[in-house]
Amino acid sequence: MKILTFFSLFSTFLSANSINVEENAGQFFSSGHTNNWAVLVCTSRFWFNYRHVANTLSVYRSVKRLGIPDSHIVLMLADDMACNHRNPKPATVFSHKNMELNVYGDDVEVDYRGYEVTVENFLRVLTGRLPPSTPRSKRLLSDDRSNILIYLTGHGGNGFLKFQDSEEISNVELADAFEQMWQKRRYNELLFIIDTCQGASMYERFYSPNLMALASSQVGEDSLSHQPDLAIGVHLMDRYTFYLLEFLEDIHPASKANMKDLFKVCPKSQCVSTPGHRTDLFLRDPGSALITDFFGSVRKVEITMETINLTDLIKEAEQKDNVQQMLEMVTNEMNILKLWFDSNKLSLNLNKTKFMIFGNHTTNIDVKIVIDNKTIERVYESKFLGVVLDHKLCWKPHIKYLCMKMARSIGILSKTR
Amino acid sequence: MVGVPLWWRTTETYRAWLPVSQINELANMQLQLSADVEVVFARGTVTPEQQKKVPLTQTQDEEHTVDGDLIFKAWDHRFESPCGSLVVYVIPESSSLLPEDMDVYIGQRRTALLRIGAQMRVGRTVEQLLAHLEPRIKQVLQVMSFSHTDITAALSDRVRLSPGNKESIADSMRAFKSSPGYEITFSLLNPDPKSHRLHWDIEGAVQTYIQPLLTKLAPVANFSLDSQTLYYAMLGVNPRFDSSSSAYTLNSDSLAHVINPVEARLGSNAASSNPVLNFLLYVPDAHHSPLYIHDNKKQEVPSNAFHSPRWGGIMVYNVNGFYRPEAVLPVDININMAKVMGVFLAQLRLLLGVQSSTAPPGFLMAPCGSTGLADWELDRLMWSRSVENVATATTTITSLAQLLDQIGNIVINDNIAEQVSSAVTSLQLAVAELEAGNLGFALQYSKEAIMASERAFFDPSLLHLLYFPDDQKFAIYIPLFLPMCVPILLSLLKIVSEARQKRREKQAKKD
């Protein structure tokens, strides 16, 4: 009995699997994107803002693990915590207390570091208005089929985000930058995540289509940090990003979790602040947008059904030495020519048409060219523009012809003597 | 008095003049495309009397509306011009040039053979003959030149249309967008150098097979090629062993996860921002040979290759047949570049947007020839590229004008104004050339237009950091001007009260 149920379950699983393959193939083109980009920005300096760097690095780590390569990630860190002289564990940045998880890893590629992280550079990266000398790794080379993830963290307020403790970006500027990206079709869909105090104010002013935004707190609320580590001496992560990282650790490249699950991350009981999200500008239903549409990079793939047969072409090229092949080609071309002549009401005098094969080696093959059921005569030398051309390309017939001409005139001259 | 205008001038932002009216005109322009078609009647298709009656030139307009915004017309002339034109030969029904069941033959160069139908044999008038031929010539044109769907797909940047069927979405996503240059990288992946020592004559193969195609595509874009070999580069997925064919297999849904781990190891040319096409040749290691790719129906794929839209292609090349199992490792293997390049060439054509339609029934296509590209296919590509470039450049210029209009604080330098003007001029020229049917010039002007418009839009100086909210403006000016204004206002009040007093005194004196 149990075996029977087990078998039936197994068979349904198998059939479901095969259906899934078909669905997967069809779902390939539903999201409309072919590549993924990520722009991850930490805007705070100084040692006590360790948690902001850890936030950004943990999102970087998840995004890389799910498949986006470094060439498609623009990572901006305003300060270097791993090599800070106050770091008791150099070359590490931890996200969990008791140093459980080092998010710095072995292969972090920071594109904008230290004082290069400014509002101007951030806006230049988004809109693409970089000086021509900027290297490829510092550019956002997205196109109209790119899904972009933008993550900002730092200290913020109602309608602004502080960069480097000296300047700020306002929500109007951010909305305008996104509109410029839309005008130039620099994205297909954009996911904007911000983890700062009063983060929801930053997405209030968006007006471009296909934007989805998440924030860690509403206007008037502060985003709180998670846990301090007594050995390092600072708070390691912010609450929202901590629970976001936990959620993302369960996602793998083939996962089917969608955006609605992402909205549930860090409810008020865990986060103390109320995370918010905005989906009215997003054209698709958020339930149909997969997490891997933004955080990962699942490539669309098509099987190559056609090939071009180049081996035949090689044989053709090799056989071109073959005179027969060449003559066939000539016959074809001549037929087409005849067709053109006929259509233009001209006639080709086939009696006066001759053909000659040039070549050094003896080509005594009996060859025939036939046009319109008339055989064309083969000659071995012919006069053309005053020069006698020989089929062996030597000058003898021409010299003979010249001698003949001269002999006649000399003979006449000698008679006059 | 003096201060106010002086202050106004010094805090003004410099804005060079832009041809705004011309830009607005561009936004509403109509696009007209002309293709020259010459129809040649071979002997035996028309009787001599009919020959005299065939009109020498016949033009035909076809209007197509695209979302109500843009309208394009297709004209047919009977003049001949090299690029973008077609010659159609009409041959009698009994002719043996075509096989029995085929009605149309499309040649490598810009020619086609059309077999006249059975009902047109005897005793038909010229008008009936022409009426019979017209739809069939139109069909040939749609295959060889451009069709409604091609042009609307090329215009998708400007006119966002509702998506059609899945195939059209897939087609539009597959090819790279029009760009002035492309980088092509060929990579040989050898995960097992201990067993296989691979030799591939990539330079020779590129010279023989790929370079002719790229030379032919030179009017469309510049190409730069490089190649590399990667050792110990594994695929990200484990292939499954299929005992029925005693080979390892990769099925289609695991192919999507192959590319990402490899892509991290591929280098790219850091100097340019052009799109990169990657072609990878993977030789499986000795323990996982032979490796075949299966499609959705579990059938082996003959080319053993797959490609990813807007990225490139990967081919799996099995070498286990080249050496005996007991041979001494590592084995020297020469890769058959003709086979490999045949697959890569086909993938390159797809990724560049060359071939995306299958022949209608009754059509016989000539094989593509040594360059891998027929002339009419090149023409097709040039048509869609020109239209795409014109659409993109128009969008860029109009959105730039809108942006500069909206944000009054952006500085417009002279060089930007120059670029915009030259972009507008090139666009107008491109549209004119498209109308006249000169495809080569149209493409060139459209490329110039797009380069100028991109340079103007992405100029680094156009950053609008000059966003001042009104309360900040007050906050800046009040501390400066308020202390100054107080004595001025007080003295003004004093002057006014003194003047009033004087007037009162005068009046009192009069009385």
Side-chain angles (χ1 to χ4, degrees):
Chain A
M1 190 55 197
K2 274 192 189 164
I3 298 177
L4 267 175
T5 50
F6 177 74
F7 271 142
S8 59
L9 279 173
F10 192 61
S11 56
T12 48
F13 171 76
L14 279 178
S15 54
N17 227 357
S18 57
I19 298 171
N20 268 341
V21 169
E22 289 295 323
E23 269 176 17
N24 278 348
Q27 219 175 21
F28 271 162
F29 296 108
S30 65
S31 62
H33 75 282
T34 59
N35 53 59
N36 286 77
W37 286 81
V39 179
L40 311 172
V41 184
C42 157
T43 60
S44 317
R45 4 190 64 236
F46 307 130
W47 171 247
F48 51 81
N49 289 322
Y50 183 101
R51 59 189 186 281
H52 294 142
V53 173
N55 286 350
T56 318
L57 283 174
S58 55
V59 177
Y60 172 77
R61 169 206 152 79
S62 310
V63 148
K64 259 181 85 156
R65 187 178 55 82
L66 289 171
I68 304 186
D70 272 315
S71 53
H72 284 231
I73 303 179
V74 178
L75 178 62
M76 304 171 80
L77 295 180
D79 203 356
D80 188 1
M81 299 304 167
C83 300
N84 195 309
H85 51 267
R86 287 173 74 169
N87 191 349
K89 302 273 174 195
T92 59
V93 174
F94 292 109
S95 63
H96 286 60
K97 71 174 181 194
N98 299 326
M99 300 179 220
E100 278 168 25
L101 182 58
N102 174 16
V103 289
Y104 200 63
D106 291 335
D107 56 349
V108 174
E109 193 184 290
V110 183
D111 299 305
Y112 287 84
R113 58 184 73 235
Y115 285 109
E116 289 173 350
V117 179
T118 58
V119 175
E120 181 184 336
N121 279 347
F122 176 59
L123 289 177
R124 281 191 191 283
V125 165
L126 285 185
T127 53
R129 298 211 168 95
L130 290 158
S133 57
T134 315
R136 212 184 162 105
S137 56
K138 282 186 163 182
R139 288 181 187 258
L140 177 64
L141 294 168
S142 55
D143 55 30
D144 62 322
R145 294 278 175 198
S146 305
N147 275 8
I148 307 183
L149 165 72
I150 297 189
Y151 176 82
L152 293 175
T153 182
H155 287 289
N158 188 354
F160 67 91
L161 173 63
K162 197 167 69 162
F163 266 68
Q164 303 268 13
D165 213 24
S166 63
E167 52 178 6
E168 18 176 87
I169 185 172
S170 63
N171 49 3
V172 176
E173 281 176 326
L174 196 57
D176 282 340
F178 286 156
E179 174 63 14
Q180 289 191 54
M181 286 175 80
W182 173 250
Q183 286 287 329
K184 203 60 192 71
R185 299 288 183 269
R186 275 166 70 77
Y187 67 89
N188 177 39
E189 287 170 351
L190 201 144
L191 177 63
F192 176 77
I193 304 185
I194 184 161
D195 187 351
T196 66
C197 306
Q198 308 195 52
S201 63
M202 288 305 284
Y203 61 65
E204 270 174 2
R205 300 289 197 114
F206 288 172
Y207 54 95
S208 316
N210 268 343
L211 295 176
M212 196 189 317
L214 281 98
S216 58
S217 55
Q218 302 289 338
V219 174
E221 286 181 347
D222 288 336
S223 286
L224 301 177
S225 57
H226 187 58
Q227 349 155 281
D229 182 305
L230 297 173
I232 300 183
V234 283
H235 284 261
L236 293 179
M237 281 268 267
D238 278 333
R239 281 180 189 244
Y240 182 74
T241 311
F242 181 82
Y243 289 107
L244 181 68
L245 176 63
E246 254 187 26
F247 172 76
L248 288 174
E249 289 285 300
D250 287 333
I251 307 284
H252 54 90
S255 153
K256 293 278 165 245
N258 59 43
M259 283 294 152
K260 292 216 165 113
D261 303 326
L262 193 60
F263 297 155
K264 293 191 205 126
V265 163
C266 204
K268 189 159 178 165
S269 51
Q270 285 172 331
C271 256
V272 184
S273 60
T274 322
H277 54 92
R278 182 176 175 180
T279 53
D280 56 317
L281 292 166
F282 198 70
L283 295 174
R284 281 195 295 158
D285 172 38
S288 66
L290 301 178
I291 303 277
T292 50
D293 280 351
F294 292 101
F295 282 92
S297 174
V298 181
R299 297 275 182 184
K300 316 286 188 240
V301 159
E302 284 179 326
I303 308 277
T304 308
M305 284 304 177
E306 303 143 350
T307 61
I308 296 182
N309 204 339
L310 290 171
T311 46
D312 280 354
L313 290 172
I314 307 174
K315 281 193 207 136
E316 261 183 43
E318 282 167 14
Q319 276 174 7
K320 269 184 181 124
D321 296 342
N322 188 345
V323 180
Q324 199 61 35
Q325 195 84 357
M326 185 182 61
L327 281 171
E328 269 179 35
M329 270 173 54
V330 170
T331 318
N332 281 337
E333 295 294 317
M334 291 304 294
N335 278 325
I336 296 177
L337 244 169
K338 187 84 177 44
L339 210 58
W340 186 86
F341 272 112
D342 288 340
S343 68
N344 282 296
K345 301 203 174 68
L346 298 167
S347 66
L348 189 61
N349 190 341
L350 291 167
N351 295 323
K352 278 196 180 170
T353 310
K354 319 272 183 221
F355 84 94
M356 179 158 50
I357 301 183
F358 291 98
N360 216 352
H361 46 273
T362 46
T363 42
N364 283 328
I365 312 166
D366 184 26
V367 291
K368 277 205 322 188
I369 294 185
V370 179
I371 300 178
D372 238 19
N373 296 324
K374 265 211 186 82
T375 319
I376 308 292
E377 189 194 328
R378 180 180 182 178
V379 293
Y380 292 96
E381 54 187 60
S382 127
K383 185 155 160 273
F384 183 65
L385 291 176
V387 178
V388 178
L389 295 170
D390 176 55
H391 75 287
K392 286 214 179 108
L393 284 180
C394 77
W395 286 104
K396 267 204 207 148
H398 184 67
I399 295 173
K400 249 207 272 183
Y401 165 71
L402 278 180
C403 285
M404 224 170 52
K405 271 201 346 195
M406 286 196 307
R408 255 189 252 140
S409 8
I410 290 176
I412 295 175
L413 279 174
S414 68
K415 293 280 190 220
T416 59
R417 206 148 43 97
Chain B
M1 280 297 181
V2 176
V4 168
L6 194 62
W7 164 76
W8 192 260
R9 275 306 298 270
T10 48
T11 52
E12 210 178 47
T13 48
Y14 177 73
R15 303 185 71 127
W17 178 82
L18 288 179
V20 181
S21 56
Q22 287 182 342
I23 296 176
N24 288 335
E25 252 178 47
L26 278 177
N28 301 325
M29 80 175 153
Q30 283 189 5
L31 202 58
Q32 249 177 295
L33 299 172
S34 278
D36 297 338
V37 178
E38 185 174 335
V39 182
V40 179
F41 290 94
R43 198 174 289 181
T45 46
V46 286
T47 60
E49 304 82 48
Q50 284 176 334
Q51 260 181 12
K52 289 177 202 146
K53 284 196 208 151
V54 167
L56 272 178
T57 61
Q58 192 173 29
T59 64
Q60 209 170 35
D61 308 349
E62 264 186 29
E63 270 198 34
H64 297 259
T65 52
V66 175
D67 202 37
D69 263 347
L70 247 53
I71 304 175
F72 78 90
K73 309 179 186 180
W75 288 39
D76 296 348
H77 294 268
R78 266 206 75 178
F79 305 107
E80 213 192 296
S81 64
C83 186
S85 69
L86 284 180
V87 184
V88 180
Y89 291 102
V90 180
I91 53 177
E93 198 227 335
S94 51
S95 161
S96 56
L97 281 174
L98 288 180
E100 279 297 317
D101 51 345
M102 294 293 170
D103 285 331
V104 183
Y105 172 78
I106 297 185
Q108 275 183 24
R109 305 188 183 279
R110 303 173 173 99
T111 54
L113 291 176
L114 181 65
R115 194 210 297 272
I116 215 169
Q119 62 269 40
M120 287 293 138
R121 202 170 296 167
V122 181
R124 301 291 176 182
T125 62
V126 175
E127 289 78 28
Q128 282 176 331
L129 180 70
L130 289 174
H132 164 79
L133 281 178
E134 206 182 285
R136 303 185 60 202
I137 293 186
K138 228 185 268 182
Q139 200 187 20
V140 171
L141 257 185
Q142 285 195 344
V143 171
M144 287 181 77
S145 242
F146 50 83
S147 64
H148 184 76
T149 45
D150 287 340
I151 301 297
T152 49
L155 283 173
S156 64
D157 197 54
R158 179 121 181 84
V159 184
R160 271 278 153 138
L161 298 170
S162 56
N165 54 349
K166 251 184 211 145
E167 275 173 20
S168 63
I169 305 178
D171 280 344
S172 71
M173 276 170 50
R174 183 185 308 121
F176 278 85
K177 289 238 107 171
S178 167
S179 158
Y182 297 96
E183 318 255 333
I184 303 183
T185 307
F186 291 100
S187 310
L188 174 65
L189 300 177
N190 188 358
D192 198 4
K194 285 200 271 274
S195 314
H196 306 132
R197 221 181 297 159
L198 299 170
H199 303 278
W200 69 335
D201 178 25
I202 184 66
E203 275 184 62
V206 159
Q207 206 50 40
T208 323
Y209 303 117
I210 307 285
Q211 196 56 49
L213 173 65
L214 299 182
T215 317
K216 203 160 180 186
L217 284 173
V220 177
N222 295 325
F223 292 91
S224 92
L225 291 156
D226 43 34
S227 66
Q228 59 178 340
T229 313
L230 284 175
Y231 294 104
Y232 294 106
M234 304 283 185
L235 292 181
V237 285
N238 282 327
R240 245 178 275 156
F241 186 73
D242 182 14
S243 44
S244 59
S245 51
S246 70
Y248 288 88
T249 61
L250 275 177
N251 54 347
S252 53
D253 46 343
S254 59
L255 290 175
H257 305 291
V258 165
I259 297 181
N260 285 326
V262 176
E263 190 178 2
R265 314 256 326 260
L266 295 173
S268 72
N269 191 350
S272 79
S273 321
N274 288 329
V276 179
L277 286 88
N278 290 303
F279 292 103
L280 272 58
L281 183 63
Y282 181 74
V283 174
D285 49 324
H287 298 289
H288 289 109
S289 283
L291 180 62
Y292 293 110
I293 297 178
H294 282 190
D295 60 8
N296 286 344
K297 307 186 192 86
K298 309 287 183 206
Q299 300 282 333
E300 238 177 63
V301 173
S303 62
N304 219 16
F306 61 97
H307 58 273
S308 178
R310 301 209 182 171
W311 184 80
I314 301 186
M315 177 180 177
V316 178
Y317 188 82
N318 291 312
V319 295
N320 60 317
F322 292 157
Y323 59 96
R324 295 170 182 282
E326 61 268 4
V328 173
L329 302 174
V331 183
D332 281 300
I333 295 174
N334 280 321
I335 297 182
N336 178 8
M337 293 311 288
K339 184 167 155 222
V340 168
M341 283 301 167
V343 173
F344 282 162
L345 209 56
Q347 289 177 338
L348 182 61
R349 278 165 54 107
L350 282 174
L351 289 170
L352 287 175
V354 167
Q355 173 201 354
S356 53
S357 63
T358 49
F363 276 58
L364 178 67
M365 306 259 202
C368 4
S370 60
T371 55
L373 187 68
D375 283 356
W376 56 271
E377 284 178 328
L378 176 64
D379 281 353
R380 262 187 93 131
L381 185 64
M382 284 169 77
W383 283 115
S384 59
R385 280 292 156 97
S386 313
V387 174
E388 196 184 323
N389 285 347
V390 165
T392 316
T394 314
T395 314
T396 311
I397 291 287
T398 44
S399 63
L400 179 63
Q402 209 182 9
L403 170 78
L404 294 174
D405 203 35
Q406 259 180 348
I407 304 177
N409 279 327
I410 291 188
V411 176
I412 307 178
N413 284 328
D414 282 330
N415 66 330
I416 298 178
E418 223 181 272
Q419 294 289 342
V420 171
S421 307
S422 90
V424 170
T425 329
S426 301
L427 265 176
Q428 287 168 337
L429 281 169
V431 171
E433 294 288 352
L434 274 178
E435 198 175 315
N438 299 328
L439 187 53
F441 286 119
L443 184 65
Q444 197 186 328
Y445 283 130
S446 70
K447 272 179 25 180
E448 284 174 22
I450 217 181
M451 286 206 316
S453 62
E454 299 269 313
R455 230 176 288 144
F457 192 91
F458 286 123
D459 192 274
S461 70
L462 279 181
L463 204 56
H464 59 298
L465 279 184
L466 306 173
Y467 165 68
F468 296 123
D470 291 325
D471 48 350
Q472 287 188 12
K473 275 192 194 141
F474 273 126
I476 292 174
Y477 284 126
I478 285 183
L480 288 175
F481 285 123
L482 202 58
M484 282 197 318
C485 281
V486 170
I488 294 177
L489 275 173
L490 283 175
S491 55
L492 272 174
L493 280 171
K494 239 188 167 180
I495 293 173
V496 166
S497 59
E498 272 182 20
R500 265 204 218 141
Q501 251 193 338
K502 271 193 189 157
R503 236 190 288 147
R504 252 184 258 142
E505 279 173 13
K506 257 193 188 166
Q507 278 207 321
K509 264 194 184 167
K510 271 191 185 169
D511 295 341

